[in-house]
Every structure is written in structure tokens, then in C-alpha cells.
Amino acid sequence: MKQSQAIGMSRRRLLTMAGVSAGATLLTPHTLLAEGVRSLSTGELLKSAAGSHTSFASLKQIDAGLLNIGYAEDGPADGPAVILLHGWPYDIYSFVDVTPILAAVGYRVIVPYLRGYGTTTFLSSTTMRNAQQSAVALDIIALMDALKIQKAIIGGFDWGARTADVMAVLWPERCKAIVSVSGYLISSPAGNQTPVPPQAACAFWYQYYFATEVGKAGYAKYLDDFNKFIWHQASPKWNFDDATYNRSAAAFNNPDHVDIVIHDYRWRLGLADGERKYDDLEKRLAELPPVTVPAITMEGDDNGAAHPPNTAYRSKFSGKYDYRLITGGIGHNIPQEAPQAFAKAIVDVDRF
């Protein structure tokens, strides 16, 4: 759809992004208005249900920091910036339905492939294939610099939620607000040394598998089967089809993907070193500082991935805050399973 068509339709767009979360109430059009942002109507939201879109308006590449980053972009170039971040084992297509909703109401939406995914590649063959939390967050700061975006709303799930949290505590001046699925996900290798009960440990089975050389070899050999299994485990009631999975699976063919994934989980457990240049940042993160910018945290009522209860991290959000439980069999990948709810959270946190 052309931008002029989208703007023409936008007047006919909203009364219900509601109904997507427990306790949600019917919204009037002005509820979702923010400076420079238009309202949505019920009809447009119905057209933007999960699975409505299979492609993005545009895919681009840009050199940023250590990377040449591939990213999707939609919406007016002068609109308020929103950066949406995926996790493992997912990719930018987790936001394929969220993006046009936000673009239609005036946001400039950027959805990058994280390092090790899709068309994002390292500029140098000598750069360490490092996935520690501060390094991944710095990638997004570098992307913002390259795109001349001073401040943005950051939204994400899984690795993307962790990155949003990290950015908010280390560079709050760059974050207008955040939306973080599963809440506060900052951690440290030292902090992850505490044993957990068997039932909780079972949920982290893949991290322990990746700690072994046979696990790394197994992930490389059975990449598609492995990641599809994780999708089913993390979202047991999400009936995605092969086409939906295959669109994202293409991103796992990145030459650095296996190394990045394995390093991420080994680093978390203290089994792999990070880089000394990030030590000061990691020291600050190990103190688990609070998120001071406006924030919404979310959870699916059928999230099969390990996640803390919202009561465990509430004290880590000291600014304006809201928590939302998204009902209806929603799993780990909220943006793709419940795009209306995720888009609503982005627009709402912009109003805080």
C-alpha cells in the first residue's frame, strides 16, 4: 500500500486494539494519539491480524559500528522512530504484522536483523563473534547513529527484550520508552551461577546442550528441526504453518549464526569469555540497575519458554509502567502471535 493510501485510510482506523489483553477496555480514537501519530480504526486492525502480511515495505542495508546491518523499514521518514528487536530463534518476520500497523499511524519503524541473523554481517573477519548483552545493545546504538535517530521507542522479545532493557539502563537518553516481553532480562555470568530447581532447569535444557561441543555440532546439523522444535515448545498453541516458519528460517543461514547463538548461551553461563572492551558496561549491568524510562512489560498466557513472574521484576521499573498479560493461548513470540496487542503497547507507552 502506498503511504498516501495508508494516510487516507488511517482516519477509519481504531476502536479496538482492545480485547487483546486481560482487563482491556474499549478505546476511543483519541486514546492512541501521540504527537505526530494518527489514530487507528477497528477495520484496519482486523486487516492486521496475525498472519495478514508476508513481506515488508522495504528491506535495506547500512554500515553501522562493527556490522553491515540488514533491516526492514516502513512509515514516514520524519515520523517518531520505533525500533523492533527479535530474539532467538526468530527474525524480523516476528514483526511483519506489527510494522504496518505502526507505520500506518505515522511511526518510522525500523526492524533490524541482529548480529548472526539474515543479511546482517560483520565488516571484518577478525571481529569476535560475540553475543554478550552489551555488544548486541551497542549494535542498535550504532544503527541509530547510522540512521541519524537520536531517540526511539525500543520494543522486543527474547534477545530483543533483553537488548531493550540494556539500552534503557545504559543509554536512557536514547530511549523514549520500551516495550519488553517477559520483563527485565538483564543478567550476568556470575548471577547465573545459582542452581535452580529441576523443573526450572528443564526449561533451560538447550542452554546446557549448547554448553557442549556435541551440542554445537547438533545445532549446526539439525538447525531447522531444532529451531522449529523451539517454536513449538515456546508457543505450544501457535499454529504456524511451514511458510511462516520458512520465512524466518532463511535468516538462520547466516554464516555467523551458529557461532553467535552458541556464544550467547555459553557467555551467560560463564563458559565463554566476552571482550574486555565491554567490561565496564557489563559491570554496570551486573548491578541490575532499574529501568527509569517509561515501560510496558508483557507476557503471553501460554508462554512455554522460561520466564520470570512479573512480580519478580516489578521493582526494576522505576518510571511510568504497565504490565499486560495477553490471553488467548499466546506464547513466547507475542509480536507475531498477537500483533495488535504488541502494536497497542508501543503506541500506549508513547503516551506515558
Side-chain angles (χ1 to χ4, degrees):
M1 179 183 295
K2 295 181 180 179
Q3 183 178 331
S4 59
Q5 292 174 310
I7 292 173
M9 292 175 64
S10 64
R11 297 289 182 183
R12 303 193 301 273
R13 304 183 175 194
L14 162 72
L15 280 188
T16 170
M17 280 168 134
V20 293
S21 63
T25 56
L26 191 64
L27 302 175
T28 57
H30 70 273
T31 305
L32 296 184
L33 288 177
E35 185 177 355
V37 175
R38 303 175 189 276
S39 63
L40 285 167
S41 73
T42 303
E44 180 59 22
L45 285 168
L46 292 174
K47 294 178 183 178
S48 299
S52 298
H53 301 85
T54 60
S55 62
F56 290 94
S58 64
L59 297 173
K60 302 179 179 181
Q61 298 287 142
I62 193 169
D63 286 350
L66 301 174
L67 305 171
N68 178 262
I69 296 179
Y71 64 100
E73 181 169 1
D74 200 357
D78 60 349
V82 174
I83 299 177
L84 303 176
L85 305 173
H86 67 84
W88 173 84
Y90 305 92
D91 81 326
I92 64 173
Y93 283 90
S94 289
F95 299 100
V96 73
D97 291 314
V98 170
T99 297
I101 298 175
L102 296 175
V105 296
Y107 288 103
R108 180 188 182 187
V109 187
I110 307 293
V111 192
Y113 285 109
L114 299 187
R115 53 170 62 191
Y117 295 80
T119 59
T120 292
T121 57
F122 286 87
L123 295 174
S124 172
S125 60
T126 63
T127 302
M128 179 181 174
R129 273 39 178 176
N130 175 0
Q132 69 185 107
Q133 58 191 354
S134 58
V136 176
L138 275 169
D139 291 342
I140 308 307
I141 295 294
L143 176 63
M144 292 175 67
D145 290 343
L147 294 174
K148 297 180 171 54
I149 296 173
Q150 179 57 36
K151 202 167 196 175
I153 299 170
I154 312 297
F157 73 107
D158 199 87
W159 291 20
R162 177 189 66 180
T163 303
D165 295 336
V166 170
M167 292 175 66
V169 302
L170 292 181
W171 303 283
E173 71 280 2
R174 306 300 298 271
C175 302
K176 184 176 184 181
I178 69 169
V179 173
S180 177
V181 174
S182 297
Y184 190 92
L185 300 180
I186 297 171
S187 66
S188 69
N192 289 330
Q193 299 308 304
T194 303
V196 296
Q199 185 175 359
C202 182
F204 291 108
W205 68 270
Y206 57 90
Q207 298 192 28
Y208 305 132
Y209 181 62
F210 288 161
T212 68
E213 286 306 300
V214 70
K216 180 177 181 180
Y219 184 59
K221 182 176 181 178
Y222 298 106
L223 188 62
D224 282 339
D225 289 341
F226 198 105
N227 289 343
K228 185 179 287 188
F229 178 78
I230 293 293
W231 279 32
H232 284 295
Q233 183 179 41
S235 300
K237 294 185 179 179
W238 181 28
N239 295 316
F240 59 89
D241 58 20
D242 287 342
T244 297
Y245 175 77
N246 290 337
R247 274 190 291 274
S248 289
F252 312 144
N253 293 325
N254 183 293
D256 299 305
H257 179 75
V258 173
D259 287 339
I260 288 293
V261 171
I262 298 302
H263 183 266
D264 180 276
Y265 293 109
R266 290 184 180 181
W267 178 84
R268 291 189 199 189
L269 294 175
L271 301 175
D273 286 336
E275 293 180 82
R276 300 287 71 80
K277 63 182 178 180
Y278 302 124
D279 282 354
D280 288 345
L281 295 177
E282 293 297 345
K283 183 177 180 180
R284 291 168 60 188
L285 293 173
E287 296 174 355
L288 306 180
V291 171
T292 59
V293 305
I296 291 176
T297 66
M298 310 177 73
E299 197 61 75
D301 64 341
D302 273 294
N303 185 0
H307 59 278
N310 67 299
T311 53
Y313 59 73
R314 175 62 185 90
S315 64
K316 293 299 181 183
F317 293 88
S318 62
K320 294 181 180 179
Y321 174 81
D322 189 27
Y323 166 76
R324 298 179 180 185
L325 178 67
I326 311 304
T327 61
I330 303 302
H332 189 57
N333 184 1
I334 289 181
Q336 200 161 5
E337 297 176 63
Q340 297 159 324
F342 193 88
K344 179 182 186 299
I346 294 289
V347 179
D348 284 352
V349 81
D350 193 14
R351 295 283 294 166
F352 281 8

